[in-house]
Amino acid sequence: CHKSLPQWYYGHLSATTCALSLISLFLTDHKMGDLGVRLLSKLLKSMNNLKVLELANNNIGPHGAKLLATVLRGHKHLEELNLEGDLI
């Protein structure tokens, strides 16, 4: 570890590394909308092992759905994407 970085940064790196290895992500009923999808998509780009993504009932509209389609296009392991109850 680099000693000039703040201690909290190492916790962030550890959490990010853990998130990148997830195979299932359940975010049902968070009402994130398209803005939330835009923020989530930055992380999803690197989550190549993801098999299940549950985003039901999050007020995701057509713009958010298009963004998800673009971000998830190269995810070869993705088996399930749930957008039930969203606005698409």
Side-chain angles (χ1 to χ4, degrees):
C1 290
H2 195 278
K3 293 189 180 205
S4 66
L5 294 174
Q7 186 62 35
W8 60 264
Y9 186 76
Y10 297 114
H12 174 70
L13 287 176
S14 177
T16 301
T17 302
C18 181
L20 297 180
S21 64
L22 287 176
I23 58 170
S24 298
L25 183 58
F26 297 88
L27 295 173
T28 301
D29 295 318
H30 286 284
K31 310 297 183 212
M32 68 177 69
D34 291 346
L35 176 61
V37 169
R38 187 167 13 132
L39 297 172
L40 179 63
S41 70
K42 293 177 183 181
L43 184 59
L44 288 174
K45 287 178 183 178
S46 301
M47 296 176 75
N48 295 320
N49 294 321
L50 199 61
K51 291 184 179 184
V52 177
L53 180 56
E54 291 280 342
L55 295 174
N57 301 313
N58 274 298
N59 296 329
I60 298 170
H63 179 72
K66 278 185 182 180
L67 183 57
L68 282 171
T70 300
V71 169
L72 297 174
R73 185 170 283 133
H75 285 63
K76 297 175 184 173
H77 300 288
L78 190 65
E79 298 172 2
E80 182 179 335
L81 171 61
N82 184 358
L83 297 173
E84 182 180 345
D86 287 307
L87 307 172
I88 54 174

